[in-house]
């Protein structure tokens, strides 16, 4: 493979930068279960990186390691050229990593607007006194962040449900609100765990468009877990393939698709 | 046709953020506040102050406090009575140790002391949740009552073990002690309620409130988007306990005048305020008021009807009151967990569309 230390140019002509995050020999165990077995790969600045694999392969676990929710049993995580020590999830969030969940994790009792505003919590600095009086810094800050959030609301076309409690929304819209909340953090690295699961074709097309647009417009680096191979082929620049906790393939989508190990894993040849 | 938002367009985010976005609500709110400050004081007498208004105002503060903790931040507490006792005893110690200090300052400092104690007893919430946390706060309740009974320093070694509020004035008017007028008691408490309700509203609609609600709705997701569970839970305990401490201080000094801890701040108090919050509506400022009003007015009403009009014995009426409150709690928990506040919201939604429901 060509040397990629300075980045590379994608099939559609986008310039991808250097390494943003590097996973080195990651192993993750839950008691006796080995969810991830000695996996290494990198994520480059500005790319859309897919992680695919059969059910239970360890994809979500890998995302949890990246987001800092799980601390790997062995191995190192490097972010922006610095080795990341054990951190609390909220500390990782402050480094510019945001995510959505396989099973939607929104705040059901709050409105869509408030849910998205929570994405900006790490940036809000007004003191308790100012907040208590709703005066000065607190009010200015609230309005400034509201403006940012409104742009995301426009971008994801959810203007008409702003004030609706999230618990009342249908599934597809919840997924979209969850993406909006992650985007509100203006993350450097965005982790999406099956953002299109359970959606119909039309909703999938919308979601794909949003993902491409935000990568294009804001330069957000995206790690995406997805089962729909069509979507993966369309969206991603490079793909990691996992099976039973191991990495069995890594490369551009068309290369991975023709990899014999990957075909076997998907057809179940190797294990039955 | 008055209750409308159509034609009432918001052109700035500032306007959109206001507490009462609908004009009719705004007018109703200003009218209520104006009447509370400028009309009621001229008509209030001792009966109305002691039976209805003063307890309502003080319980409203306590209910706001518990609602912040339980309704907004999702941390169950059965220690409200104990924390009110902390406020009461702190106020008593301050009043007796610094006779010159302003009564407003006494009450606020009592709130601060309670906030500190609340944070201390809130520490277990970082490890335990729900039912287990409720049990831990229950332990706090019993411990605090025991402490104030056992250590004579807290009641200045008085022979009766009671604490008695000395006379204090504010702006030249007695606000504690036997000479206090009904209107002074009422206005003194009302001022606290007014400011504390505004502060509660501001805190819950901004950054802090969102953190609390995020922890309440899904703590794991909250942490992943950058909410620090430690500071968020403890801030809820601190703010909530401050309110409850202020309520305790006022309850003792302005309302009761003299108190014995087990009787005034026992476990029944914890439950009473929890019921106010449940019936009024978890996670609602308005609900805290509605719940407090409901549980203050209900006994007065029942007593007037059952004892006054129907001539039933007092103890029977008291039992019936307990049964009614119990039944209501169950009904609300099953049918409308968001309480009176939600019923009110639904009515308003209907009203907004009326007379064309589609
Ligand atoms: N918290 C946990 N405790 C114990 N085992 C776990 C835990 N999380 C994941 N596992 C196990 O690790 C393995 C990988 O799970 P993971 O959720 O990462 O798979 P996945 O690739 O995301 O699957 P899917 O496509 O179904 O979402 C599974 O065997 C799972 O049972
Ligand atoms: Mg998964």
């Amino acid at each position: 493979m060509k040397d990629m230390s300075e980045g590379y140019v994608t099939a559609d002509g986008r310039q991808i930068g250097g390494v943003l995050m590097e996973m080195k020999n990651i192993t993750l165990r839950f008691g006796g279960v080995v969810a991830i077995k000695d996996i290494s790969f990198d994520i480059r600045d500005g790319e859309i990186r897919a992680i695919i694999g059969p059910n239970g392969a360890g994809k979500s676990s890998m995302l949890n390691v990246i987001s800092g929710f799980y601390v790997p049993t062995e191995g190192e995580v490097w972010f922006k050229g610095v080795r990341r020590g054990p951190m609390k999830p909220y500390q990782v969030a402050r480094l510019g990593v945001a995510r959505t969940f396989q099973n939607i994790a929104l705040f059901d009792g709050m409105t869509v607007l408030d849910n998205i505003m929570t994405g900006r919590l790490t940036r809000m600095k007004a003191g308790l006194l100012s907040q208590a009086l709703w005066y000065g810094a607190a009010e200015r800050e609230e309005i400034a962040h509201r403006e940012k959030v409104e742009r995301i609301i426009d971008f994801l076309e959810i203007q008409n449900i702003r004030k609706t409690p999230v618990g009342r929304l249908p599934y597809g819209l919840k997924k979209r609100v969850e993406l909006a909340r992650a985007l509100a953090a203006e993350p450097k690295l965005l982790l999406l765990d099956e953002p299109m699961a359970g959606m119909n074709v039309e909703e999938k097309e919308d979601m794909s468009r949003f993902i491409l647009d935000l990568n294009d417009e804001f330069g957000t680096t995206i790690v995406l877990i997805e089962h729909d191979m069509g979507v993966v082929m369309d969206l991603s620049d490079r793909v990691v393939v996992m099976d039973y906790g191991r990495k069995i393939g890594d490369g551009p989508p068309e290369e991975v698709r023709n990899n014999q190990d990957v075909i076997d894993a998907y057809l179940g040849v190797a294990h039955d | 046709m008055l209750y409308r938002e159509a034609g009432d367009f918001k052109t700035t985010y500032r306007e959109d953020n206001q507490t009462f976005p609908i004009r009719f609500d705004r007018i109703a709110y200003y009218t209520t506040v104006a009447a509370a400050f400028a009309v009621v004081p001229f008509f209030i007498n001792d009966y109305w102050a002691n039976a209805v208004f003063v307890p309502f105002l003080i319980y409203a503060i306590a209910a706001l406090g518990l609602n912040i903790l339980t309704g907004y931040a999702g941390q169950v507490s059965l220690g409200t009575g104990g924390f009110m006792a902390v406020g009461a005893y702190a106020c008593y110690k301050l009043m007796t140790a610094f006779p010159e200090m302003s009564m407003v300052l006494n009450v606020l400092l009592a709130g601060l002391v309670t906030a500190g104690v609340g944070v201390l007893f809130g520490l277990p919430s970082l490890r335990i949740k729900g039912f287990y946390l409720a049990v831990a706060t229950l332990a706090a309740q019993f411990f605090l009552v025991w402490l104030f009974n056992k250590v004579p320093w807290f009641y200045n070694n008085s022979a009766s073990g009671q604490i008695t509020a000395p006379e204090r004035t504010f702006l030249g008017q007695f606000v504690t002690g036997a000479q206090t007028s009904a209107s002074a008691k009422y206005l003194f408490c009302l001022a606290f309620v007014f400011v504390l309700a505004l502060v509660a509203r501001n805190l819950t609609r901004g950054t802090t409130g969102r953190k609390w609600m995020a922890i309440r709705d899904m703590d794991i997701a909250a942490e992943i988007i950058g909410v620090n569970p430690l500071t968020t839970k403890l801030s809820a305990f601190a703010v909530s306990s401050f309110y409850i401490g202020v309520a305790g201080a006022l309850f003792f000094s302005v309302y009761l005048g003299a108190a014995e801890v087990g009787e005034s701040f026992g476990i029944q108090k914890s439950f009473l305020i929890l019921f106010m919050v449940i019936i009024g509506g978890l996670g609602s400022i308005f609900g805290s008021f509605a719940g407090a009003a409901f549980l203050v007015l209900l006994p007065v009403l029942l007593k007037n009807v059952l004892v006054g009009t129907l001539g039933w014995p007092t103890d029977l009426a008291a039992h019936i009151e307990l049964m009614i409150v119990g039944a209501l709690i169950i009904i609300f928990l099953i049918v409308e967990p968001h309480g009176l506040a939600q019923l009110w919201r639904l009515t308003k939604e209907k009203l907004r569309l009326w007379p064309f429901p589609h």
Side-chain angles (χ1 to χ4, degrees), chain A residues 69 89-90 93-94 105 107-109 114 117-118 121 131-134 139 142 146-147 150 163, chain B residues 13-14 16-17 199 202 205 207-208 210-211 213-214 217-218 220-221 223-228:
Chain A
F69 190 64
Y90 68 84
R94 286 168 199 189
F107 308 121
D108 277 352
D114 275 333
M117 288 290 279
T118 61
L121 281 176
Q131 289 181 50
L133 305 176
W134 202 256
E139 194 181 20
E142 182 79 16
R146 174 75 187 272
E147 276 164 8
E150 285 293 336
K163 297 278 171 89
Chain B
Y13 294 134
R14 188 159 190 272
D16 195 44
N17 277 338
V199 167
N202 288 341
R205 68 172 154 162
T207 316
T208 303
R210 290 193 193 104
K211 284 186 188 168
M213 290 187 276
D217 284 350
M218 196 167 277
I220 292 176
E223 202 175 346
I224 284 179
I225 61 168
V227 176
N228 180 344

CSV table of all heavy atoms in Angstrom, one decimal, chain A residues 69 89-90 93-94 105 107-109 114 117-118 121 131-134 139 142 146-147 150 163, chain B residues 13-14 16-17 199 202 205 207-208 210-211 213-214 217-218 220-221 223-228:
chain,number,residue,atom,x,y,z
A,69,PHE,N,-15.4,5.3,27.1
A,69,PHE,CA,-16.3,4.7,28.0
A,69,PHE,C,-15.8,3.4,28.6
A,69,PHE,O,-16.0,3.1,29.8
A,69,PHE,CB,-17.7,4.5,27.3
A,69,PHE,CG,-18.8,4.1,28.2
A,69,PHE,CD1,-19.2,5.0,29.2
A,69,PHE,CD2,-19.4,2.9,28.1
A,69,PHE,CE1,-20.2,4.7,30.1
A,69,PHE,CE2,-20.4,2.5,29.0
A,69,PHE,CZ,-20.8,3.4,30.0
A,89,PRO,N,-15.4,9.5,30.9
A,89,PRO,CA,-16.0,9.8,29.7
A,89,PRO,C,-16.2,11.3,29.5
A,89,PRO,O,-16.0,11.8,28.4
A,89,PRO,CB,-17.4,9.1,29.8
A,89,PRO,CG,-17.1,8.0,30.7
A,89,PRO,CD,-16.1,8.5,31.7
A,90,TYR,N,-16.6,12.1,30.5
A,90,TYR,CA,-16.8,13.5,30.3
A,90,TYR,C,-15.6,14.2,30.0
A,90,TYR,O,-15.6,15.3,29.4
A,90,TYR,CB,-17.6,14.1,31.5
A,90,TYR,CG,-16.8,14.2,32.8
A,90,TYR,CD1,-15.9,15.2,33.1
A,90,TYR,CD2,-16.9,13.2,33.8
A,90,TYR,CE1,-15.2,15.3,34.2
A,90,TYR,CE2,-16.2,13.3,35.0
A,90,TYR,CZ,-15.3,14.3,35.2
A,90,TYR,OH,-14.6,14.4,36.3
A,93,ALA,N,-15.1,13.8,26.3
A,93,ALA,CA,-16.0,14.7,25.6
A,93,ALA,C,-15.4,16.0,25.4
A,93,ALA,O,-15.5,16.7,24.4
A,93,ALA,CB,-17.3,14.8,26.3
A,94,ARG,N,-14.7,16.5,26.5
A,94,ARG,CA,-14.1,17.8,26.4
A,94,ARG,C,-12.9,17.9,25.5
A,94,ARG,O,-12.5,19.0,25.1
A,94,ARG,CB,-13.7,18.3,27.8
A,94,ARG,CG,-14.9,18.6,28.6
A,94,ARG,CD,-14.7,18.8,30.1
A,94,ARG,NE,-16.0,18.7,30.7
A,94,ARG,CZ,-16.3,18.9,32.0
A,94,ARG,NH1,-15.3,19.3,32.8
A,94,ARG,NH2,-17.5,18.8,32.4
A,105,ALA,N,-29.9,7.1,23.1
A,105,ALA,CA,-29.7,7.6,24.5
A,105,ALA,C,-30.0,9.0,24.6
A,105,ALA,O,-29.1,9.8,24.9
A,105,ALA,CB,-28.3,7.2,25.0
A,107,PHE,N,-32.4,12.3,26.3
A,107,PHE,CA,-33.0,12.7,27.6
A,107,PHE,C,-34.5,12.8,27.3
A,107,PHE,O,-34.9,13.9,26.9
A,107,PHE,CB,-32.4,13.9,28.1
A,107,PHE,CG,-30.8,13.8,28.2
A,107,PHE,CD1,-30.0,14.7,27.5
A,107,PHE,CD2,-30.2,12.8,28.8
A,107,PHE,CE1,-28.7,14.6,27.5
A,107,PHE,CE2,-28.9,12.6,28.9
A,107,PHE,CZ,-28.1,13.6,28.2
A,108,ASP,N,-35.3,11.8,27.6
A,108,ASP,CA,-36.7,11.7,27.2
A,108,ASP,C,-37.5,12.8,27.8
A,108,ASP,O,-38.5,13.2,27.2
A,108,ASP,CB,-37.2,10.4,27.6
A,108,ASP,CG,-36.9,9.3,26.5
A,108,ASP,OD1,-36.4,9.7,25.4
A,108,ASP,OD2,-37.2,8.1,26.7
A,109,GLY,N,-37.2,13.3,29.0
A,109,GLY,CA,-38.0,14.2,29.7
A,109,GLY,C,-37.8,15.7,29.2
A,109,GLY,O,-38.5,16.6,29.6
A,114,ASP,N,-33.7,21.5,24.2
A,114,ASP,CA,-32.9,21.3,25.4
A,114,ASP,C,-31.9,20.1,25.2
A,114,ASP,O,-30.8,20.2,25.7
A,114,ASP,CB,-33.8,21.0,26.7
A,114,ASP,CG,-34.2,22.4,27.3
A,114,ASP,OD1,-33.5,23.4,27.1
A,114,ASP,OD2,-35.3,22.4,28.0
A,117,MET,N,-29.2,21.4,23.2
A,117,MET,CA,-28.4,22.4,24.0
A,117,MET,C,-27.4,21.6,24.9
A,117,MET,O,-26.4,22.2,25.2
A,117,MET,CB,-29.3,23.3,24.8
A,117,MET,CG,-30.0,24.4,24.0
A,117,MET,SD,-29.0,25.7,23.3
A,117,MET,CE,-28.8,26.8,24.7
A,118,THR,N,-27.8,20.5,25.4
A,118,THR,CA,-26.9,19.7,26.3
A,118,THR,C,-25.6,19.4,25.6
A,118,THR,O,-24.6,19.3,26.2
A,118,THR,CB,-27.5,18.4,26.8
A,118,THR,OG1,-27.8,17.6,25.7
A,118,THR,CG2,-28.7,18.6,27.6
A,121,LEU,N,-23.0,21.9,26.6
A,121,LEU,CA,-22.7,22.1,28.0
A,121,LEU,C,-21.3,22.3,28.3
A,121,LEU,O,-20.9,23.2,29.1
A,121,LEU,CB,-23.3,20.9,28.8
A,121,LEU,CG,-24.8,20.9,29.0
A,121,LEU,CD1,-25.2,19.6,29.8
A,121,LEU,CD2,-25.2,22.1,29.8
A,131,GLN,N,-26.3,32.5,36.5
A,131,GLN,CA,-27.4,31.7,36.0
A,131,GLN,C,-28.7,31.9,36.9
A,131,GLN,O,-29.8,31.9,36.4
A,131,GLN,CB,-27.1,30.2,36.1
A,131,GLN,CG,-26.1,29.8,35.1
A,131,GLN,CD,-25.8,28.3,35.2
A,131,GLN,OE1,-26.7,27.5,35.3
A,131,GLN,NE2,-24.5,27.9,35.3
A,132,ALA,N,-28.4,32.0,38.2
A,132,ALA,CA,-29.6,32.1,39.2
A,132,ALA,C,-30.3,33.4,38.9
A,132,ALA,O,-31.6,33.5,39.0
A,132,ALA,CB,-29.1,32.1,40.6
A,133,LEU,N,-29.6,34.5,38.5
A,133,LEU,CA,-30.3,35.7,38.2
A,133,LEU,C,-30.6,35.9,36.8
A,133,LEU,O,-31.3,36.8,36.4
A,133,LEU,CB,-29.3,36.9,38.6
A,133,LEU,CG,-28.9,36.8,40.1
A,133,LEU,CD1,-27.9,37.9,40.4
A,133,LEU,CD2,-30.0,36.9,41.0
A,134,TRP,N,-30.2,35.0,35.9
A,134,TRP,CA,-30.5,35.0,34.5
A,134,TRP,C,-30.1,36.4,33.9
A,134,TRP,O,-30.8,37.1,33.3
A,134,TRP,CB,-31.9,34.8,34.2
A,134,TRP,CG,-32.2,34.3,32.8
A,134,TRP,CD1,-32.7,35.0,31.8
A,134,TRP,CD2,-32.0,33.0,32.3
A,134,TRP,NE1,-32.8,34.3,30.6
A,134,TRP,CE2,-32.4,33.0,30.9
A,134,TRP,CE3,-31.4,31.8,32.8
A,134,TRP,CZ2,-32.3,31.9,30.1
A,134,TRP,CZ3,-31.3,30.7,31.9
A,134,TRP,CH2,-31.7,30.8,30.6
A,139,GLU,N,-27.2,34.9,30.4
A,139,GLU,CA,-28.2,35.2,29.4
A,139,GLU,C,-27.5,35.3,28.0
A,139,GLU,O,-28.0,34.8,27.0
A,139,GLU,CB,-29.0,36.4,29.7
A,139,GLU,CG,-30.3,36.5,28.8
A,139,GLU,CD,-31.1,37.7,29.0
A,139,GLU,OE1,-30.6,38.7,29.5
A,139,GLU,OE2,-32.3,37.7,28.5
A,142,GLU,N,-26.5,31.9,26.8
A,142,GLU,CA,-27.7,31.1,26.4
A,142,GLU,C,-28.1,31.5,25.0
A,142,GLU,O,-28.3,30.6,24.1
A,142,GLU,CB,-28.8,31.4,27.4
A,142,GLU,CG,-30.1,30.7,27.1
A,142,GLU,CD,-30.0,29.2,27.6
A,142,GLU,OE1,-29.2,28.9,28.4
A,142,GLU,OE2,-30.9,28.4,27.1
A,146,ARG,N,-27.7,29.3,21.7
A,146,ARG,CA,-28.9,29.0,21.0
A,146,ARG,C,-28.8,29.2,19.5
A,146,ARG,O,-29.3,28.5,18.7
A,146,ARG,CB,-30.0,29.9,21.6
A,146,ARG,CG,-31.4,29.8,20.9
A,146,ARG,CD,-32.1,28.5,21.3
A,146,ARG,NE,-33.3,28.4,20.5
A,146,ARG,CZ,-34.5,28.9,20.8
A,146,ARG,NH1,-34.7,29.5,21.9
A,146,ARG,NH2,-35.6,28.7,20.0
A,147,GLU,N,-28.1,30.3,19.1
A,147,GLU,CA,-27.9,30.6,17.7
A,147,GLU,C,-27.2,29.4,17.0
A,147,GLU,O,-27.5,29.0,15.9
A,147,GLU,CB,-27.1,31.9,17.5
A,147,GLU,CG,-28.1,33.1,17.6
A,147,GLU,CD,-27.4,34.4,17.8
A,147,GLU,OE1,-26.2,34.5,17.8
A,147,GLU,OE2,-28.1,35.4,18.0
A,150,GLU,N,-29.5,26.5,16.7
A,150,GLU,CA,-30.5,26.7,15.6
A,150,GLU,C,-30.0,26.4,14.3
A,150,GLU,O,-30.7,25.9,13.4
A,150,GLU,CB,-31.1,28.2,15.7
A,150,GLU,CG,-32.0,28.4,16.8
A,150,GLU,CD,-33.3,27.7,16.7
A,150,GLU,OE1,-33.7,27.3,15.6
A,150,GLU,OE2,-34.0,27.5,17.8
A,163,LYS,N,-39.7,22.3,20.2
A,163,LYS,CA,-40.2,22.3,21.6
A,163,LYS,C,-41.0,21.0,22.0
A,163,LYS,O,-41.6,21.0,23.0
A,163,LYS,CB,-41.2,23.5,21.8
A,163,LYS,CG,-40.5,24.9,21.5
A,163,LYS,CD,-39.8,25.4,22.7
A,163,LYS,CE,-38.9,26.6,22.5
A,163,LYS,NZ,-39.6,27.9,22.7
B,13,TYR,N,-34.4,35.2,20.3
B,13,TYR,CA,-34.3,34.1,21.1
B,13,TYR,C,-34.5,34.5,22.6
B,13,TYR,O,-35.0,33.7,23.4
B,13,TYR,CB,-32.9,33.4,21.0
B,13,TYR,CG,-32.7,32.8,19.6
B,13,TYR,CD1,-31.5,33.1,18.9
B,13,TYR,CD2,-33.7,32.1,19.1
B,13,TYR,CE1,-31.3,32.5,17.7
B,13,TYR,CE2,-33.5,31.5,17.8
B,13,TYR,CZ,-32.3,31.7,17.1
B,13,TYR,OH,-32.1,31.2,15.9
B,14,ARG,N,-34.3,35.7,22.9
B,14,ARG,CA,-34.5,36.2,24.2
B,14,ARG,C,-36.0,36.1,24.6
B,14,ARG,O,-36.4,35.6,25.6
B,14,ARG,CB,-34.0,37.7,24.3
B,14,ARG,CG,-34.0,38.2,25.7
B,14,ARG,CD,-33.1,39.4,25.8
B,14,ARG,NE,-32.9,39.8,27.1
B,14,ARG,CZ,-33.7,40.7,27.7
B,14,ARG,NH1,-34.7,41.2,27.1
B,14,ARG,NH2,-33.5,41.0,29.0
B,16,ASP,N,-38.1,34.2,23.1
B,16,ASP,CA,-38.5,32.8,23.1
B,16,ASP,C,-38.1,32.1,24.4
B,16,ASP,O,-38.7,31.1,24.7
B,16,ASP,CB,-37.8,32.1,21.9
B,16,ASP,CG,-38.5,30.8,21.6
B,16,ASP,OD1,-39.7,30.8,21.6
B,16,ASP,OD2,-37.7,29.8,21.4
B,17,ASN,N,-37.1,32.7,25.1
B,17,ASN,CA,-36.6,32.0,26.3
B,17,ASN,C,-37.4,32.4,27.5
B,17,ASN,O,-37.2,32.0,28.6
B,17,ASN,CB,-35.2,32.5,26.6
B,17,ASN,CG,-34.2,31.6,25.8
B,17,ASN,OD1,-34.6,30.5,25.4
B,17,ASN,ND2,-33.0,32.1,25.6
B,199,VAL,N,-35.3,32.3,41.2
B,199,VAL,CA,-34.0,31.7,41.1
B,199,VAL,C,-34.1,30.2,40.6
B,199,VAL,O,-33.4,29.7,39.7
B,199,VAL,CB,-33.2,31.8,42.4
B,199,VAL,CG1,-32.0,30.9,42.4
B,199,VAL,CG2,-32.8,33.2,42.7
B,202,ASN,N,-34.8,30.2,37.0
B,202,ASN,CA,-33.7,30.5,36.2
B,202,ASN,C,-32.7,29.4,36.1
B,202,ASN,O,-32.1,29.1,35.1
B,202,ASN,CB,-33.0,31.8,36.7
B,202,ASN,CG,-33.8,33.0,36.4
B,202,ASN,OD1,-34.7,33.0,35.5
B,202,ASN,ND2,-33.6,34.1,37.1
B,205,ARG,N,-33.9,26.5,33.9
B,205,ARG,CA,-34.1,26.6,32.4
B,205,ARG,C,-32.7,26.8,31.7
B,205,ARG,O,-32.7,26.8,30.5
B,205,ARG,CB,-35.0,27.8,32.1
B,205,ARG,CG,-34.4,29.1,32.4
B,205,ARG,CD,-35.3,30.2,31.8
B,205,ARG,NE,-35.2,31.5,32.6
B,205,ARG,CZ,-35.5,32.6,32.1
B,205,ARG,NH1,-36.1,32.7,31.0
B,205,ARG,NH2,-35.4,33.7,32.9
B,207,THR,N,-28.1,26.2,31.9
B,207,THR,CA,-27.1,25.2,31.9
B,207,THR,C,-27.2,24.2,33.0
B,207,THR,O,-27.2,23.0,32.8
B,207,THR,CB,-25.7,25.8,32.0
B,207,THR,OG1,-25.7,26.9,31.1
B,207,THR,CG2,-24.6,24.9,31.6
B,208,THR,N,-27.4,24.7,34.2
B,208,THR,CA,-27.4,23.9,35.4
B,208,THR,C,-28.6,22.9,35.4
B,208,THR,O,-28.5,21.7,35.6
B,208,THR,CB,-27.5,24.7,36.7
B,208,THR,OG1,-26.3,25.6,36.7
B,208,THR,CG2,-27.4,23.9,37.9
B,210,ARG,N,-30.2,21.9,32.8
B,210,ARG,CA,-30.0,20.8,31.7
B,210,ARG,C,-29.1,19.7,32.2
B,210,ARG,O,-29.3,18.6,31.9
B,210,ARG,CB,-29.5,21.4,30.5
B,210,ARG,CG,-30.5,22.3,29.8
B,210,ARG,CD,-30.0,22.7,28.4
B,210,ARG,NE,-30.9,23.8,27.9
B,210,ARG,CZ,-30.5,25.0,27.8
B,210,ARG,NH1,-29.3,25.4,28.1
B,210,ARG,NH2,-31.4,25.9,27.4
B,211,LYS,N,-28.1,20.1,33.0
B,211,LYS,CA,-27.2,19.1,33.5
B,211,LYS,C,-28.0,18.2,34.5
B,211,LYS,O,-27.9,17.0,34.4
B,211,LYS,CB,-26.0,19.7,34.3
B,211,LYS,CG,-25.0,20.3,33.4
B,211,LYS,CD,-23.8,20.8,34.2
B,211,LYS,CE,-22.8,21.5,33.3
B,211,LYS,NZ,-21.8,22.2,34.1
B,213,MET,N,-31.2,17.6,34.6
B,213,MET,CA,-32.2,16.7,33.9
B,213,MET,C,-31.5,15.6,33.1
B,213,MET,O,-32.0,14.5,32.9
B,213,MET,CB,-33.1,17.6,33.0
B,213,MET,CG,-34.0,18.5,33.8
B,213,MET,SD,-35.2,19.3,32.8
B,213,MET,CE,-34.3,20.8,32.3
B,214,ALA,N,-30.3,16.0,32.5
B,214,ALA,CA,-29.6,15.0,31.8
B,214,ALA,C,-29.2,13.8,32.7
B,214,ALA,O,-29.4,12.6,32.3
B,214,ALA,CB,-28.3,15.6,31.1
B,217,ASP,N,-32.4,11.8,33.4
B,217,ASP,CA,-33.0,11.0,32.3
B,217,ASP,C,-32.1,9.9,31.9
B,217,ASP,O,-32.5,8.8,31.5
B,217,ASP,CB,-33.3,11.9,31.1
B,217,ASP,CG,-34.5,12.7,31.3
B,217,ASP,OD1,-35.2,12.5,32.3
B,217,ASP,OD2,-34.8,13.6,30.5
B,218,MET,N,-30.8,10.1,31.9
B,218,MET,CA,-29.9,9.0,31.4
B,218,MET,C,-28.5,9.4,31.8
B,218,MET,O,-27.8,10.1,31.1
B,218,MET,CB,-30.0,8.8,29.9
B,218,MET,CG,-29.4,7.5,29.5
B,218,MET,SD,-29.8,7.0,27.8
B,218,MET,CE,-31.4,6.3,28.0
B,220,ILE,N,-25.6,7.8,32.1
B,220,ILE,CA,-24.5,7.4,31.3
B,220,ILE,C,-24.3,8.3,30.0
B,220,ILE,O,-23.2,8.8,29.8
B,220,ILE,CB,-24.7,5.9,30.8
B,220,ILE,CG1,-24.6,5.0,32.1
B,220,ILE,CG2,-23.6,5.5,29.8
B,220,ILE,CD1,-24.8,3.6,31.8
B,221,ALA,N,-25.4,8.5,29.4
B,221,ALA,CA,-25.3,9.4,28.2
B,221,ALA,C,-24.9,10.8,28.6
B,221,ALA,O,-24.1,11.5,27.9
B,221,ALA,CB,-26.7,9.5,27.5
B,223,GLU,N,-22.9,11.6,31.0
B,223,GLU,CA,-21.5,11.7,31.2
B,223,GLU,C,-20.7,11.7,29.9
B,223,GLU,O,-19.7,12.4,29.8
B,223,GLU,CB,-21.1,10.4,32.1
B,223,GLU,CG,-19.8,10.6,32.8
B,223,GLU,CD,-19.5,9.5,33.7
B,223,GLU,OE1,-20.3,8.7,34.0
B,223,GLU,OE2,-18.3,9.4,34.2
B,224,ILE,N,-21.3,10.9,28.9
B,224,ILE,CA,-20.5,10.9,27.7
B,224,ILE,C,-20.6,12.2,26.9
B,224,ILE,O,-19.7,12.5,26.1
B,224,ILE,CB,-21.1,9.7,26.8
B,224,ILE,CG1,-20.4,8.4,27.5
B,224,ILE,CG2,-20.7,9.8,25.4
B,224,ILE,CD1,-20.8,7.1,26.8
B,225,ILE,N,-21.7,13.0,27.1
B,225,ILE,CA,-21.7,14.3,26.4
B,225,ILE,C,-20.9,15.3,27.2
B,225,ILE,O,-20.9,16.5,26.8
B,225,ILE,CB,-23.1,14.8,26.1
B,225,ILE,CG1,-23.9,15.0,27.4
B,225,ILE,CG2,-23.8,13.9,25.1
B,225,ILE,CD1,-25.1,15.8,27.1
B,226,GLY,N,-20.3,15.0,28.4
B,226,GLY,CA,-19.5,15.9,29.1
B,226,GLY,C,-20.0,16.4,30.4
B,226,GLY,O,-19.5,17.4,30.9
B,227,VAL,N,-21.1,15.8,30.9
B,227,VAL,CA,-21.6,16.2,32.2
B,227,VAL,C,-20.8,15.5,33.3
B,227,VAL,O,-20.7,14.3,33.3
B,227,VAL,CB,-23.1,15.9,32.4
B,227,VAL,CG1,-23.5,16.3,33.8
B,227,VAL,CG2,-23.9,16.7,31.3
B,228,ASN,N,-20.2,16.3,34.2
B,228,ASN,CA,-19.5,15.7,35.4
B,228,ASN,C,-20.5,15.2,36.4
B,228,ASN,O,-21.2,16.1,37.0
B,228,ASN,CB,-18.5,16.7,35.9
B,228,ASN,CG,-17.7,16.1,37.1
B,228,ASN,OD1,-18.1,15.1,37.7
B,228,ASN,ND2,-16.6,16.8,37.4
